Amino acid sequence: MKRNFMFQILAAFILAIIVGIIFGERATIIQPLGDLFLRLIKFIIVPLILSTIVVGVTNAGSIKKIGNLGGKAIGYFLVTSFIAIALGLFAGFVFQPGAGVDLAVQGEAVDASETEGVIATLLNIIPTNPVEALTTGAVLQIIFFAIFLGIGISLVGKKALPVQQFFEGLSEVMYKITSIVMKLVPLGIFGLLAPIVGTYGPSVLMPLIKVIIAMVVAVIVHVSLVYSAAVKTFGKMNPYHFFKGIFPAASVAFATCSSSGTLPVTMKNTQENLGVSKGTSSFVLPLGATINMDGTAIYQGIAVMFIAQYFGVELTMAQILIVALMGTLASIGAAGVPGAGLIMLTMVLTAVNLPLEGIALIAGIDRILDMLRTSVNIIGDASACVVVEGGKPEMAVKKGA
Ligand code: ASP
């Protein structure tokens, strides 16, 4: 995110509050601007999920063939991502950032009681007609279809190359369209937030501070418990040495909000400071920068809890399970660029029928949350290298150094 863009977001945020306070309920006149933005986000979702997940799975499939290394790394990625989202949900539960506001959502009332129980919900993930899933926008079914397509493409190999290339092309196009739509984020924030502030008063914004606090606490817990334990147990490395070694890359991630952009620094730190071999780091880190995002997973958990509480929606156990699953997938699908986690949040919200309006609220503080999650994302990638390498002699040399 360019500085100019950050400034626009901030300006939109402040302007929305001012307009909301001054004009009160009359601020709802600009609601169409917000709706315009929401419609644009919604129209991206289906092709974006389909193409990015197919591409993600086909890439992981070919990488797996590289063998043990890929298997170990992907296993580690999945376990830590799942812990991260669970932690995020837990933090959202403990801190209750959105509690006590209880906005009635116009037009998009959510009926949590509709869920038919865990087994039926899980069975329902399998579409009987994938085309219907695409046309009705059934996110979970689309994901199921995409994963299977990806596996099929990997298994068929050469003959499926045109299909693979089609999805690769489509995903690039969808990323491009997304980045165009993202330019309208300031407009969306303004159009959605001003009517909310106008109708309910500025106190509706207080919970955002709680979101940041919940995120900071969850991030500290994840980094200090999960990564410390992992590098110590599997990598035989002193956690202090690990954090000190990766600190420069984590700072760059904090400032740039981009795992991909930080990749060269992450590589340098893991090789030079942590003593990880070139072979491991040049394979695990690019893969990790694309599919391993624990910080993003924590964020999905907290954001969903926040939005559910904010709009007074009680999530059922089945829905929480879906969020855990979807949040993990969202963190896998998110690109290592600023704001990607926010876009993927639309997918998780849609899957459990939560109002996308929540995005406008959280978008105002997204940059701060992005700094935190991107740092965690790259620390997680580095920890994967140390774990996969598992106490090789070169690392011992570095440890002594
Ligand atoms: N900015 C994050 C990253 O690059 C992705 C996200 O937005 O969650 O890792």
Side-chain angles (χ1 to χ4, degrees):
M1 234 187 291
K2 299 243 169 62
R3 181 168 290 169
N4 191 12
F5 188 59
M6 274 170 62
F7 177 75
Q8 286 177 18
I9 288 186
L10 199 69
F13 205 68
I14 295 170
L15 202 66
I17 298 172
I18 296 175
V19 169
I21 293 174
I22 295 179
F23 293 98
E25 288 209 22
R26 275 175 298 157
T28 44
I29 202 165
I30 52 167
Q31 181 72 34
L33 273 186
D35 292 340
L36 170 87
F37 177 68
L38 277 184
R39 290 191 76 98
L40 284 171
I41 290 193
K42 284 183 186 166
F43 111 88
I44 298 174
I45 296 177
V46 168
L48 182 73
I49 301 175
L50 180 70
S51 56
T52 49
I53 293 186
V54 170
V55 173
V57 174
T58 44
N59 286 346
S62 57
I63 277 156
K64 234 181 185 165
K65 285 186 206 116
I66 299 177
N68 202 2
L69 193 59
K72 265 194 202 163
I74 291 172
Y76 178 77
F77 289 164
L78 282 178
V79 171
T80 52
S81 298
F82 202 74
I83 296 176
I85 183 116
L87 192 62
L89 285 167
F90 187 66
F93 179 72
V94 172
F95 286 91
Q96 298 275 320
V101 193
D102 222 359
L103 296 191
V105 198
Q106 310 95 323
E108 279 208 57
V110 185
D111 187 1
S113 62
E114 256 177 25
T115 8
E116 325 92 19
V118 181
I119 294 181
T121 311
L122 291 180
L123 269 181
N124 207 22
I125 294 176
I126 306 173
T128 47
N129 177 355
V131 179
E132 185 188 286
L134 289 173
T135 54
T136 56
V139 174
L140 282 178
Q141 299 191 341
I142 297 172
I143 290 175
F144 182 87
F145 177 46
I147 292 176
F148 243 91
L149 263 179
I151 294 174
I153 291 171
S154 303
L155 291 177
V156 170
K158 222 171 163 192
K159 273 197 181 153
L161 205 60
V163 186
Q164 183 176 345
Q165 282 166 342
F166 167 77
F167 282 110
E168 277 167 2
L170 183 62
S171 71
E172 288 299 321
V173 172
M174 290 318 297
Y175 275 135
K176 192 40 102 201
I177 294 180
T178 306
S179 67
I180 297 171
V181 171
M182 282 300 120
K183 291 205 167 64
L184 298 179
V185 165
L187 200 74
I189 291 181
F190 179 65
L192 290 167
L193 206 55
I196 292 184
V197 175
T199 312
Y200 299 98
S203 60
V204 287
L205 299 173
M206 278 313 285
L208 290 177
I209 294 167
K210 278 205 215 156
V211 172
I212 297 175
I213 294 174
M215 183 78 187
V216 169
V217 173
V219 157
I220 291 174
V221 169
H222 188 74
V223 169
S224 59
L225 292 186
V226 179
Y227 298 151
S228 292
V231 296
K232 195 166 167 52
T233 318
F234 302 108
K236 321 254 176 304
M237 184 180 280
N238 179 342
Y240 173 73
H241 174 80
F242 171 74
F243 290 123
K244 196 170 149 218
I246 198 63
F247 182 74
S251 321
V252 175
F254 192 80
T256 60
C257 287
S258 168
S259 308
S260 303
T262 311
L263 193 57
V265 192
T266 321
M267 288 251 188
K268 195 163 155 21
N269 286 175
T270 35
Q271 287 169 12
E272 292 175 8
N273 301 349
L274 305 178
V276 173
S277 71
K278 272 211 168 93
T280 301
S281 58
S282 63
F283 167 73
V284 173
L285 290 177
L287 181 66
T290 333
I291 67 169
N292 181 43
M293 299 200 180
D294 295 353
T296 305
I298 294 176
Y299 161 81
Q300 303 286 337
I302 293 179
V304 167
M305 290 302 272
F306 163 68
I307 292 169
Q309 291 158 1
Y310 202 93
F311 290 103
V313 177
E314 188 94 30
L315 291 176
T316 62
M317 205 51 216
Q319 282 177 311
I320 290 181
L321 275 179
I322 291 177
V323 171
L325 193 76
M326 298 292 296
T328 310
L329 280 170
S331 70
I332 294 173
V337 295
L342 183 71
I343 301 169
M344 296 317 265
L345 184 60
T346 56
M347 170 174 118
V348 186
L349 293 178
T350 316
V352 284
N353 237 357
L354 280 172
L356 288 179
E357 276 84 349
I359 301 246
L361 277 170
I362 210 160
I365 51 162
D366 192 61
R367 180 72 185 195
I368 300 168
L369 303 177
D370 204 357
M371 289 167 137
L372 294 165
R373 59 183 193 250
T374 312
S375 305
V376 178
N377 290 348
I378 71 100
I379 299 175
D381 297 341
S383 76
C385 286
V386 173
V387 166
V388 165
E389 196 113 313
K392 292 240 176 81
E394 317 84 84
M395 285 171 42
V397 173
K398 286 286 171 188
K399 271 184 273 181

